[in-house]
Amino acid sequence: MTLNAVHLNPSLTAEQRVDALLSEMTLDEKLAQLTGIWVTELIDRERKPVADKLAYRLGYGIGHLTRVGASSLLPPTESAKLANTLQRYLLDQTRLKIPAIVHEESCAGYMARGATTFPQAMAMAAMWEPELVEDIARIIRRQMRAVGAHHALAPVLDVVRDPRWGRVEETFGEDPFLISAVGAAYIRGLQGDSWDGRVIATAKHFAAYGISEGGMNWAPVHVPEREFREMFLTPFRAAVLGAGIESVMPAYHELDGVPCHADKWLLVDILRNEMGFNGTVVSDYFGINQLREYHHVTGDKQGAARLAIEAGVDVELPNQDCYGDPLKAAVESGQVDIGLIDACVRRVLRQKVMLGLFEDPYVDDGRVIDIYSDAGAIALSREAAGKGVVLLKNDGILPLTSAHKTIAIIGPAAHSIRSLQGDYHYPSHLEGMFDPDQSLEAPNPAQPNVKIDWTAHFPPSVTALDGVISALGEQAEIVYAKGCDIDSSDTSGFAEAAALAKGADVAVVVVGDKAGLAKGATSGESIDRADICLPGVQSELVQAIAATGTPVVVVLIHGRPFALSDIEAHASAILTCWQPAEQGGAALADVLTGAVNPGGKLPMSFPRAVGQIPVYYNHKPSGGRTHWQGDYIDLSTKPLYPFGHGLSYTQFDYSDLHLSAAEVDANGKVEISATVTNTGERAGDEVVQLYVGDPVSSVTRPVKALKGFKRVHLSAGQSKRVTFHLSAQHLAFYGLDMRYQVEPGEVTVMVGASSADIRLNGSFTITGASTPVEQVYFTPVEVH
């Protein structure tokens, strides 16, 4: 067939080019655009493209190339060369000459060898500084585009309430407003202001994935529609309508008996029709076949393909399965309308045109080294890690001073670069994706059992021990003992650790998780836990060190909130670094020594015990307590550390609350101002938090809801005025008739340092009748 190459004319509109190309395509060529191919299916053990594999797998073209960088395990320059080679094949050897979109993971940095690792998502949320998150995403975009990647499977916008779930670490926490703000910043950083150099962001997992039965991955979710829309859809609406996201990924679970990958109400009625989303819906990996294999809503792959395509899933990832021969058979037999196929293909091709791939899908591999050796990226990772540290408790032992002549660094996470990494950091993620007995580093067929040397794949990293030695090694004696493993019952190392601690002025005990997908991990995707205490005997290690009489500083390097009641009384100070990535140890040392004053705040409540779950701040009036006792008979109903909590080495005073109006209508705005003053002796950051409440309403409302925040830096003695421009539309909710509306009545205003530490209170009144409004997602803030 002779190709009429009108689609290659850049002077035409994207729609004209797509229409021209679509009219030329065979069914096989269309289906190829709706699928991906894992790069490992195109290369040999030496990671070189194989001609026969290319001809077989790419003969009709391909929509996506899956993880060219991550799964090839190649360094950046070689990864860029491989991407160029694969694109060149598509342009030179296929009839339609359609380039591919290369997609990769980027939850906490581009997940590939040589890329900068940034603190895991929970740590980004703990910064409460969307502007810094946007800066991080810009670095990720630059590194991804340098090696030929165009589409990131991030950010995770799940509202999470259950710390038993292994994927908590990938989220931005429990509050939809905070998630919306941080998620939108991440999207802006990845996608930029135009298509030039853009990396397409993906909002996942659509929707309500973070509240599954028992905290178990892929388990059903039970949530009524009003709460589903107000809490769990809000970050996705903010991504679509507030940040212009170009891709959405359905979740693995079911809602009311319908798996998300087959849910037309979710993906068509809500996402496309209500939200107006016009980007691509990409499946979660193997999510379409899951309809058959896991959910049993169909008996074969053809049925799975039909359900997904009818629900509006455009692209099957990671490779062609149900959208290959099964979908082709469904179209040819008349079970699937070709119009559905064309609509999906049209969306994929539009993105390729807008990305400029038809003009130039190649990258300059000679520039890769310069981009990947940018010292600014490493400095940004360290800054972010430090700003994400949350000081949970401090009796005055921190910051460390010259009086601490001997410092014991103890714990299984104290000198482990592996512990610094989250489950979607490279290479901890890849440990679970490759057979450790398959040699990719020494691909000699005569040595089939040579294991991968994963240490060669870690970025240059700073452990907690490294960081403290670098910061304090010249003025103090630093001693170290591991004490125990992350998840083991072996206490044989306790005696050595206790002996070192007994001779020290302070013991810094570094404990936490090992994140990943492989066996042996204690946090990460599919790594769900029934208990949320520290894994193994780490709590006992803390207690053993405290028993020596030496003051104990507990440092948590972890992915999810722990129940810390069993160590809280034994620690003089507790701080969480989350999974702080490659510069985590340096950032920790900055905080321990006071070079950085901790200013992070919790994006998720810390329970006292697993039996409290779910415990979250924005519960309903009848929630958060048991009638009529208030508490459980054996435990408080309050979290150990509430949402928004975080201490500092200085103190902050709040004063002079002022509201610009006592009354507004449903479309009005109120300026809410307060003065925050650093009353201590050292500079520090405070996150000023605005909460609102609706005391009387036609349906029950949360006791308080975050509607604004700002991280403010203050020198000792300095004051600043913070003004929130609050829209009355932020008080809207789905009423009895399921209209999204603002009701008249009193609104309470609360400004403070956490959800439980409210310093200033006020109120205003919304007048008029109940009024349908559009949802708003962000609150502008001024500081002066």
Side-chain angles (χ1 to χ4, degrees), residues 157-414:
L157 300 180
D158 299 311
V159 176
V160 63
R161 291 176 173 173
D162 195 330
R164 294 174 296 179
W165 187 46
R167 305 195 74 172
V168 166
E169 64 183 67
E170 302 169 40
T171 77
F172 296 132
E174 73 181 46
D175 179 76
F177 184 89
L178 178 63
I179 297 168
S180 296
V182 176
Y186 189 96
I187 293 162
R188 288 193 299 269
L190 269 184
Q191 296 196 159
D193 298 326
S194 70
W195 283 92
D196 184 25
R198 168 170 291 181
V199 167
I200 291 171
T202 306
K204 64 183 191 183
H205 306 84
F206 196 62
Y209 190 35
I211 54 164
S212 60
E213 284 182 358
M216 294 181 290
N217 206 37
W218 294 17
V221 165
H222 308 286
V223 59
E225 184 179 351
R226 181 176 285 105
E227 186 178 12
F228 177 69
R229 286 178 174 275
E230 291 178 354
M231 287 288 177
F232 301 101
L233 285 188
T234 288
F236 292 94
R237 286 187 178 274
V240 173
L241 297 170
I245 200 162
E246 272 288 326
S247 183
V248 170
M249 177 183 286
Y252 284 124
H253 67 271
E254 64 171 76
L255 290 166
D256 195 22
V258 182
C260 294
H261 280 77
D263 195 336
K264 187 181 296 186
W265 172 74
L266 181 68
L267 301 180
V268 177
D269 294 349
I270 292 179
L271 180 61
R272 294 212 182 272
N273 295 342
E274 288 187 20
M275 296 187 192
F277 177 70
N278 63 357
T280 53
V281 174
V282 299
S283 81
D284 208 337
Y285 280 17
F286 316 109
I288 297 176
N289 186 52
Q290 183 199 54
L291 300 174
R292 170 192 71 87
E293 188 175 69
Y294 197 80
H295 290 297
H296 306 295
V297 292
T298 183
D300 54 32
K301 292 187 177 185
Q302 183 171 319
R306 179 182 58 80
L307 289 173
I309 204 81
E310 289 179 350
V313 179
D314 297 310
V315 180
E316 180 179 32
L317 299 181
N319 55 359
Q320 188 178 75
D321 184 14
C322 299
Y323 275 16
D325 289 339
L327 183 54
K328 182 179 180 180
V331 173
E332 292 178 338
S333 66
Q335 295 183 50
V336 169
D337 187 340
I338 189 63
L340 292 175
I341 306 297
D342 288 349
C344 295
V345 174
R346 191 181 300 278
R347 288 188 282 265
V348 173
L349 293 178
R350 169 190 161 271
Q351 288 183 338
K352 293 186 176 185
V353 170
M354 298 302 293
L355 285 165
L357 299 184
F358 284 96
E359 284 69 60
D360 184 11
Y362 307 115
V363 294
D364 182 355
D365 57 65
R367 296 182 60 243
V368 173
I369 291 297
D370 288 341
I371 291 172
Y372 276 72
S373 58
D374 178 13
I378 298 171
L380 184 61
S381 182
R382 179 172 178 168
E383 179 187 358
K387 285 192 168 181
V389 171
V390 181
L391 183 61
L392 299 174
K393 174 184 178 180
N394 187 21
D395 68 0
I397 189 70
L398 293 179
L400 302 179
T401 69
S402 57
H404 300 108
K405 299 299 184 182
T406 303
I407 301 171
I409 307 297
I410 293 168

Side-chain angles (χ1 to χ4, degrees), residues 407-419:
I407 301 171
I409 307 297
I410 293 168
H415 196 40
S416 166
I417 63 173
R418 179 64 177 78
S419 294

Side-chain angles (χ1 to χ4, degrees), residues 649-654 676-682 714-719 759:
Y649 298 152
T650 188
Q651 300 80 43
F652 299 98
D653 179 68
Y654 288 69
V676 58
T677 302
N678 182 348
T679 59
E681 298 180 352
R682 64 171 66 221
L714 294 164
S715 301
Q718 185 180 18
S719 296
R759 307 290 184 86

Side-chain angles (χ1 to χ4, degrees), residues 64-130:
H64 279 234
L65 292 170
T66 296
R67 293 188 182 181
V68 171
S71 295
S72 71
L73 308 184
L74 288 168
T77 298
E78 299 306 311
S79 170
K81 290 178 179 178
L82 176 57
N84 282 343
T85 299
L86 297 176
Q87 296 285 22
R88 188 170 295 110
Y89 181 89
L90 290 168
L91 267 64
D92 292 349
Q93 301 297 323
T94 63
R95 186 181 75 90
L96 295 177
K97 306 183 185 304
I98 302 175
I101 289 174
V102 176
H103 79 259
E104 301 277 0
E105 300 282 359
S106 74
C107 184
Y110 168 35
M111 197 189 75
R113 188 173 179 177
T116 306
T117 58
F118 292 97
Q120 180 70 304
M122 188 66 76
M124 292 190 205
M127 299 187 305
W128 291 62
E129 191 169 350

Side-chain angles (χ1 to χ4, degrees), residues 476-518:
E477 180 186 3
I478 312 297
V479 296
Y480 163 71
K482 184 177 180 181
C484 64
D485 290 326
I486 291 287
D487 192 15
S488 170
S489 59
D490 184 4
T491 61
S492 59
F494 280 22
E496 177 194 9
L500 288 180
K502 192 169 184 179
D505 297 302
V506 63
V508 179
V509 185
V510 189
V511 292
D513 272 325
K514 177 184 177 182
L517 277 70

